[in-house]
Structures are given as C-alpha cells and as structure tokens.
Amino acid sequence: TATQPINAGSAWIAGFEAAYLEHFTFLPGILSGLGVSANYGYTNSSANGLPGRSDHPRLLRNAPNTWNLSPTFDRGRLSIRLGMSYNQANIAAYAYQDGTATEDGTPSTPTPGGLKGPFSDQYFYSHLQIDAQGSVRLTHGLSFIAYGLNLNNEVFGFYQGSPQYMIQRKYYQPTYAVGFRWNPGFEHK
C-alpha cells in the first residue's frame, strides 16, 4: 500500500444543526431538577476532481448525521449529567479508483470490488459513546466529583469500503475517575 497527499479540484459542504435545551423547573418537588440538552446535525458534502475518480465522494471526516443527548439533574448541591454522542460512519481516507484518466492522461486501474469493496475508501465506524459525570458541592468551595467515559465500551476503528472489510477495531474499555475539586474563589462569594 502506498499513500500520497493530493489536492482535489474543488469541494462544497452544506448542512444544518438544531439544538434544544430545557430545565424542567415547572415539575413538582425533586423532579424540578431534571433537564435535557440535545442537538442534531446533518451535513452533505462533495469533493470534485480527485485524480482517478469520476465520482464525487463526501469530504473526509464529514459524518452525515451526528447527535448528542444529555439528560441532566441539578438540585441543591447535586449535579448529574449523562451524555450520549453519535457520529455516523464517515470517510477517513480516499483510496477508490474507478479507472478514469489520471492527471497525466494515462488510464488508472479500477479498484477491485467497486465503491463498497475491500480496496475502496477507508471509513471510520459509526460511533455511539455514553459518558456520565456527577458532582456534590460539600463545603468551603470543595466538591466531590466522579465520572465515567465510554461506559458502553464502544468500538473505535476503520474499515475499507464496507464494515465487513475491517482494518482495525479497538475497544478501549470504560474509564472511571473520582476526586475532589476545590475552588478557593467560591469561599469569597
């Protein structure tokens, strides 16, 4: 395998994002501490003039669909956050060649298996990660904090053309931490 950085002729990107944030203070009692934060993003893109290609693939690292959802609880000294984050599969590196002429006019060899074959573009797997964090304010600017990252042990990795042509799959295991945080400025308020 040989790699080479190249410039495409041109590209475009378009999309939108929607976000929602709500603190449910209208709920009775302890439920008034509940809240939610959410956003969704959609993008479409196209790279034009890639040598050896007549198609117009998406831009690198441009996931078509992404979203975040974070249920929250804030009441008194307690603060809790759950975070779910999703990125759809997206191109990590271009590799596909369709047999069109190269820059010097000579025909290139078509990529075996086509756009979804084992020698096509490299993709990041779709990724859905769940994280959580919480804190309790104690006294004199001191807080107890705890968090967990990648609680669902989501895969990270790459594939070639289609998910069955795996290049790399990594499971990093969840990460946990607990500790104390001191904010001396809090004492003067």
Side-chain angles (χ1 to χ4, degrees):
T1 301
T3 62
Q4 174 185 358
I6 58 171
N7 290 322
S10 63
W12 61 264
I13 185 168
F16 71 89
E17 182 177 10
Y20 178 76
L21 174 64
E22 179 77 38
H23 297 284
F24 301 114
T25 55
F26 57 86
L27 293 174
I30 196 167
L31 296 178
S32 67
L34 292 174
V36 67
S37 171
N39 69 36
Y40 167 78
Y42 170 79
T43 60
N44 194 6
S45 64
S46 177
N48 304 306
L50 290 170
R53 293 183 81 144
S54 59
D55 67 335
H56 308 284
R58 298 181 65 84
L59 289 172
L60 296 178
R61 298 176 182 247
N62 177 236
N65 295 288
T66 60
W67 56 262
N68 296 285
L69 177 63
S70 180
T72 64
F73 182 82
D74 293 295
R75 185 161 169 99
R77 297 174 177 262
L78 182 63
S79 178
I80 300 172
R81 303 271 182 279
L82 179 68
M84 294 173 275
S85 179
Y86 173 77
N87 289 302
Q88 190 174 1
N90 56 89
I91 300 173
Y94 300 125
Y96 177 74
Q97 296 283 301
D98 65 3
T100 60
T102 61
E103 287 182 25
D104 66 1
T106 60
S108 63
T109 305
T111 301
L115 278 171
K116 299 294 182 185
F119 301 103
S120 188
D121 296 331
Q122 294 177 5
Y123 287 81
F124 289 106
Y125 282 102
S126 293
H127 189 84
L128 171 64
Q129 183 169 319
I130 299 174
D131 303 326
Q133 69 177 26
S135 66
V136 179
R137 286 192 320 273
L138 301 172
T139 183
H140 301 295
L142 186 65
S143 296
F144 172 77
I145 59 170
Y147 68 81
L149 303 176
N150 194 24
L151 297 176
N152 57 329
N153 195 22
E154 180 69 351
V155 66
F156 173 81
F158 306 90
Y159 62 88
Q160 198 91 25
S162 295
Q164 71 262 26
Y165 303 121
M166 172 184 56
I167 297 172
Q168 175 187 79
R169 289 177 65 94
K170 293 182 179 181
Y171 293 90
Y172 289 102
Q173 303 295 321
T175 300
Y176 303 99
V178 296
F180 292 92
R181 181 183 305 145
W182 179 52
N183 182 354
F186 182 84
E187 293 184 49
H188 301 293
K189 292 182 181 179

